[in-house]
Amino acid sequence: MNLTEPVESLKGVGPKTAEILRKVGIKTTRDFFYNLPRDYENFQQANSIMEIRPGKVTIRGKIDSLTTRRTRRRNLSITEGVVRDKTGAVKVVWFNQSYRTKQFEKDKEYFFTGNYELKNGRFSLISPSAALVADIGPRMGLSPIYVAHGRIRSMDFQRLVEKSRALFNSIPDLLPTVKTGVRKEALFKAHFPESLKTAAKAREYLAYEELFSLILAAKLNRRENEKLRATPVPFQAKEVKRFVDSLPFKLTNAQRLASWEIFQNMENETPMNRLLQGDVGSGKTMVAAMAAYAAALARKQVAFLAPTAILAKQHYDKFAQLLGNFGVSVALLTGATKGKAELKREIRSGRIQVVIGTHALLTDDTEFADLALVIIDEQHRFGVNQRQKLVLKSPKDTAPHLLMMTATPIPRSLQLTVFGDLDVSILGELPKGRQPISTKIMAETAAKEELYPKMREILGTGQQIYWISKAIEDGVGADGAKSEVTSVKTRTKRLREVFPEAKVEFLHGKMKPAEKDEVMERFSRGEIQILVSTTVVEVGVDVPNANLMVIENSESYGLAQLHQLRGRVGRGGEAGFCYLLTSGDLQPSRRLRELERSTDGFYLSEVDLKLRGPGEIYGSLQHGALDLRIASLSDTKLIHRAQADVEKFLQMGEKMLEYRELMAGIKKYQQITTLN
Ligand code: ADP
Ligand code: MG
């Protein structure tokens, strides 16, 4: 059977139905078969009516006295009836499902499953789903539930799938398999399960198919990358060592190892494609500086992309100082940079060796003479297209070496799948002398007694404080929506009253770049004691003397973001403190409690993956298309199995192309895995 045919080709799918299906992404017969039930209604264990207790119940009986009426007040339609079996009778009620009146035949037996609860003073079965016992027969008491789409309800899907029952048999296998017919069997059993167990097994196979495709896509991307040519950057050990010796600290072992891996990659003719992962404060920027220095020594150019102007400026300051001492010319290019045209001429001529900037780096008129290394900080902030733009700036027919950095640890499962085309270096240790940050969840109302004294103590020792607020103006959230939260401006005023001895200033994303720079600079120099800011300080900002952070409305941030924010403190040798303020009297969320408990970014990312799912973590920007329908990226066992099988598959060489549906299907994954 040809799975690329339009859904109309299926029995029972007319133009109108097809239209609705297309809108929800079910365009081909393949999409139709892969539209798996979201759950199964288990009619296998029906209770007799006499036995039922409040809660979820399943009964089996005949229904009568069905009527539908409308309430005048809320214009609700209420359908009521009575279900009877040998042991008794029970009232059933549906809201806004008037079609129920016509659904049932008087003398036939149905299963009903739903909540048995007290409603309007009477125990009733509320909005149960129903299925004809005779229909359920072949499904052994399990009935699939599909996500309803517009007019097409779960039971319509059931009917359509039923009509296509015979077609399952002609679905070809997707992957090389020992036994043939594995795929059609899995699809069939997912739609017509014999038991919950066989349904789960069937779905597991389909999840495996999905993971196989994703991993294969990443591996093929890697192969493509290996076909590209880069300019080799010879490693000049003596000079690099001199540079390292000039640093005011000793490198951590992890930094040493990571830089070694990078130097080796850069010596190759194959472009480096490496992700440098390290928790906040682990010293990634220093590793980037070494890589940049190595490239500059070889008389090549480096582009360093940062997500915000503040961060670009800070990297620039650091690089200009460190590399400047060794005769490397460093420049900053952001939207606010003056004399851009002149600067771009210098970049084009090759006089500037290291360019650090924001999105301004990506414009077409930013051209390089000999770009050999691209560094991307906080890589998850950028989309594939943005990265691609930069990569294309290397000389014709070559690709630059690519070093991407992230503080968002990537769970192992994602490393094997979505990021399977990357080499990864991990900075798994923090520089010596760092003390863990103590984190505390605190009700806003307790601030006066508990928080202010702590802040006073910190200020008393000459250390500085971040206060993170959500809104820029009163009544308007950072996202522009209406908001009740205290703005940075109001908070600044209040803190000035509470701490008259301290200099309190604010920072937010709507300020002019020059103003932001100025505030940030004064904070760095210690001229500001309390910086009230929106999350613009989230990424990378490095002020080692700031050791206490207060995060207001902490419930409204994600786990990764809170961890990043918190990483701004405790960066010098002093202990760091983070207070997560909560408003209202709800229990603190699991997110906050995990954050209070652990400072291990890797652990937290695993928790985050579980709580939110991969799509959200890796941002709509980059992996919005990563729409795994069945597989879960937390299923490491299945991932490992798929990975091993992909390796075998890759050995097939040309023969891989015979798996046409598979090869065509992975194109979309190839787009979203990191390289292309
Ligand atoms: P990241 O980008 O990984 O969050 P940074 O590179 O900004 O971390 O480093 C955090 C701070 O630690 C900076 O002030 C940096 O100068 C300092 N640092 C980097 N490496 C070391 C080291 N090996 N020993 C001590 N301090 C270090
Ligand atoms: Mg950083």
Side-chain angles (χ1 to χ4, degrees):
M1 187 171 82
N2 184 357
L3 291 173
T4 56
E5 271 176 43
V7 271
E8 277 105 322
S9 67
L10 294 169
K11 252 189 260 166
V13 181
K16 269 202 193 130
T17 307
E19 181 75 33
I20 301 175
L21 290 176
R22 257 195 300 277
K23 276 202 193 116
V24 296
I26 303 175
K27 296 173 187 152
T28 61
T29 53
R30 183 196 297 107
D31 299 333
F32 178 79
F33 289 119
Y34 276 88
N35 177 46
L36 303 188
R38 77 167 160 77
D39 202 354
Y40 304 92
E41 204 71 78
N42 192 350
F43 293 115
Q44 279 166 330
Q45 282 131 8
N47 299 100
S48 56
I49 290 177
M50 197 177 68
E51 301 173 333
I52 58 174
R53 297 275 167 277
K56 189 157 179 171
V57 301
T58 300
I59 55 174
R60 171 181 176 161
K62 294 178 185 167
I63 188 164
D64 60 43
S65 319
L66 267 176
T67 56
T68 293
R69 64 188 163 83
R70 283 201 163 272
T71 60
R72 231 175 291 139
R73 264 195 309 133
R74 289 197 295 151
N75 197 25
L76 204 65
S77 93
I78 299 183
T79 306
E80 290 173 317
V82 176
V83 175
R84 297 174 204 282
D85 69 4
K86 282 201 265 343
T87 66
V90 63
K91 187 175 164 192
V92 291
V93 183
W94 287 280
F95 300 98
N96 282 339
Q97 299 184 18
S98 51
Y99 63 87
R100 297 286 186 187
T101 324
K102 298 199 192 85
Q103 183 186 353
F104 303 101
E105 286 178 54
K106 222 170 169 229
D107 294 315
K108 291 201 167 148
E109 249 193 328
Y110 294 86
F111 285 113
F112 297 88
T113 178
N115 254 342
Y116 183 56
E117 58 188 75
L118 198 59
K119 198 101 190 180
N120 299 332
R122 191 167 164 190
F123 274 102
S124 323
L125 190 55
I126 307 298
S127 300
S129 47
L132 192 63
V133 171
D135 268 357
I136 292 295
R139 297 174 198 248
M140 310 295 284
L142 276 185
S143 174
I145 308 171
Y146 296 89
V147 177
H149 290 299
R151 270 196 315 102
I152 311 183
R153 288 161 290 149
S154 173
M155 53 194 248
D156 299 319
F157 273 111
Q158 274 184 32
R159 209 170 296 130
L160 290 173
V161 173
E162 186 67 53
K163 280 193 178 138
S164 300
R165 201 183 172 105
L167 288 178
F168 279 85
N169 217 5
S170 52
I171 297 175
D173 276 317
L174 179 72
L175 307 179
T177 48
V178 186
K179 197 165 66 126
T180 56
V182 187
R183 181 204 207 180
K184 69 182 183 203
E185 188 182 319
L187 281 169
F188 186 80
K189 287 194 168 154
H191 289 283
F192 301 95
E194 290 153 11
S195 66
L196 286 176
K197 213 164 140 196
T198 51
K201 243 187 124 54
R203 298 177 83 99
E204 187 188 75
Y205 176 76
L206 297 170
Y208 162 82
E209 266 187 356
E210 220 168 39
L211 291 170
F212 187 103
S213 304
L214 184 58
I215 295 169
L216 180 61
K219 296 273 180 203
L220 288 176
N221 275 345
R222 189 189 189 102
R223 284 197 171 177
E224 307 252 300
N225 186 51
E226 280 163 6
K227 279 192 217 139
L228 300 174
R229 286 289 144 256
T231 321
V233 174
F235 176 53
Q236 306 189 24
K238 235 177 34 213
E239 282 75 9
V240 172
K241 181 160 187 316
R242 254 207 328 211
F243 174 72
V244 171
D245 289 342
S246 78
L247 298 174
F249 43 72
K250 270 184 65 186
L251 293 181
T252 64
N253 284 330
Q255 282 173 317
R256 237 175 253 287
L257 180 62
S259 53
W260 171 245
E261 288 169 330
I262 290 166
F263 296 143
Q264 291 213 311
N265 285 162
M266 293 204 304
E267 281 198 294
N268 277 332
E269 266 192 16
T270 309
M272 168 166 76
N273 193 25
R274 185 170 288 278
L275 182 70
L276 177 60
Q277 175 193 318
D279 215 341
V280 281
S282 59
K284 296 183 291 295
T285 314
M286 199 49 62
V287 174
M290 286 188 277
Y293 184 56
L297 276 174
R299 308 252 139 255
K300 305 288 177 213
Q301 284 178 300
V302 181
F304 186 167
L305 181 64
T308 64
I310 292 180
L311 202 55
K313 171 73 164 56
Q314 186 185 288
H315 287 326
Y316 167 76
D317 289 341
K318 195 158 251 175
F319 274 51
Q321 182 216 334
L322 287 170
L323 302 178
N325 286 341
F326 287 80
V328 178
S329 52
V330 184
L332 176 68
L333 176 59
T334 66
T337 301
K338 300 229 167 62
K340 274 202 199 76
E342 174 58 23
L343 178 58
K344 285 179 183 172
R345 262 197 300 283
E346 303 242 340
I347 297 170
R348 205 172 299 132
S349 74
R351 267 194 301 279
I352 306 257
Q353 289 180 282
V354 179
V355 190
I356 300 172
T358 51
H359 297 83
L361 272 181
L362 304 175
T363 55
D364 287 337
D365 63 345
T366 312
E367 293 164 325
F368 290 79
D370 196 359
L371 179 64
L373 172 64
V374 166
I375 303 170
I376 301 181
D377 197 12
E378 306 294 341
Q379 66 89 24
H380 60 282
R381 292 285 184 114
F382 298 95
V384 170
N385 296 340
Q386 292 168 314
R387 213 157 35 215
Q388 185 72 354
K389 275 211 167 116
L390 204 47
V391 164
L392 288 174
K393 292 185 188 295
S394 63
K396 203 165 167 291
D397 296 329
T398 69
H401 295 289
L402 182 58
L403 177 64
M404 294 175 277
M405 308 202 282
T406 182
T408 308
I410 296 176
R412 182 95 188 114
S413 58
L414 287 187
Q415 247 178 62
L416 293 172
T417 52
V418 186
F419 294 93
D421 58 339
L422 293 178
D423 292 316
V424 178
S425 299
I426 298 176
L427 299 185
E429 60 181 318
L430 296 181
K432 281 220 176 54
R434 291 277 167 80
Q435 299 184 37
I437 303 165
S438 355
T439 302
K440 196 165 176 192
I441 301 172
M442 189 184 279
E444 226 171 64
T445 45
K448 211 162 154 192
E449 288 86 51
E450 284 193 56
L451 177 60
Y452 291 170
K454 180 72 198 174
M455 288 173 71
R456 248 182 219 110
E457 182 192 318
I458 287 281
L459 293 172
T461 62
Q463 298 174 69
Q464 294 156 281
I465 295 174
Y466 291 104
W467 185 296
I468 308 299
S469 284
K470 189 110 193 125
I472 296 173
E473 303 278 351
D474 281 329
V476 191
D479 52 4
K482 239 181 138 122
S483 155
E484 296 280 301
V485 301
T486 313
S487 67
V488 276
K489 289 175 191 166
T490 306
R491 181 57 67 195
T492 302
K493 258 190 240 142
R494 293 203 194 139
L495 289 173
R496 279 176 185 156
E497 284 158 19
V498 181
F499 302 100
E501 71 281 13
K503 184 100 189 133
V504 187
E505 292 292 351
F506 63 78
L507 184 69
H508 61 72
K510 291 258 166 68
M511 284 159 63
K512 295 213 179 72
E515 289 173 342
K516 278 193 272 192
D517 286 352
E518 194 219 302
V519 171
M520 221 34 238
E521 215 132 280
R522 282 167 57 214
F523 188 63
S524 294
R525 285 200 299 261
E527 293 166 20
I528 294 171
Q529 275 79 49
I530 304 179
L531 181 64
V532 181
S533 172
T534 57
T535 52
V536 288
V537 298
E538 177 190 347
V539 277
V541 170
D542 186 30
V543 179
N545 190 47
N547 285 312
L548 189 149
M549 173 175 283
V550 181
I551 305 175
E552 219 175 326
N553 296 107
S554 57
E555 322 88 333
S556 61
Y557 301 96
L559 188 51
Q561 199 178 12
L562 288 168
H563 180 62
Q564 283 260 357
L565 277 167
R566 175 173 67 173
R568 303 305 108 219
V569 298
R571 295 168 77 86
E574 306 290 335
F577 299 92
C578 175
Y579 290 86
L580 303 169
L581 295 191
T582 58
S583 54
D585 25 52
L586 288 177
Q587 280 277 5
S589 62
R590 164 102 189 268
R591 275 208 306 280
L592 297 188
R593 283 182 283 128
E594 291 286 0
L595 208 72
E596 185 175 51
R597 196 159 83 92
S598 171
T599 52
D600 178 348
F602 198 80
Y603 166 78
L604 292 172
S605 78
E606 300 281 351
V607 171
D608 209 17
L609 183 66
K610 281 215 189 80
L611 291 179
R612 290 199 299 160
E616 254 188 272
I617 295 185
Y618 291 92
S620 48
L621 202 61
Q622 184 167 199
H623 298 125
L626 179 62
D627 161 34
L628 293 182
R629 291 171 178 220
I630 314 160
S632 147
L633 285 180
S634 50
D635 191 345
T636 31
K637 230 163 89 194
L638 202 58
I639 288 173
H640 281 290
R641 205 176 99 208
Q643 200 199 13
D645 292 345
V646 166
E647 289 301 337
K648 270 187 248 153
F649 183 74
L650 286 166
Q651 309 282 320
M652 286 197 221
E654 289 286 289
K655 265 196 117 102
M656 289 193 300
L657 298 177
E658 288 169 20
Y659 291 84
R660 300 233 311 258
E661 189 191 341
L662 175 66
M663 296 313 258
I666 63 170
K667 290 251 152 63
K668 77 168 192 204
Y669 291 131
Q670 278 192 284
Q671 293 287 324
I672 54 175
T673 58
T674 38
L675 205 135
N676 43 71

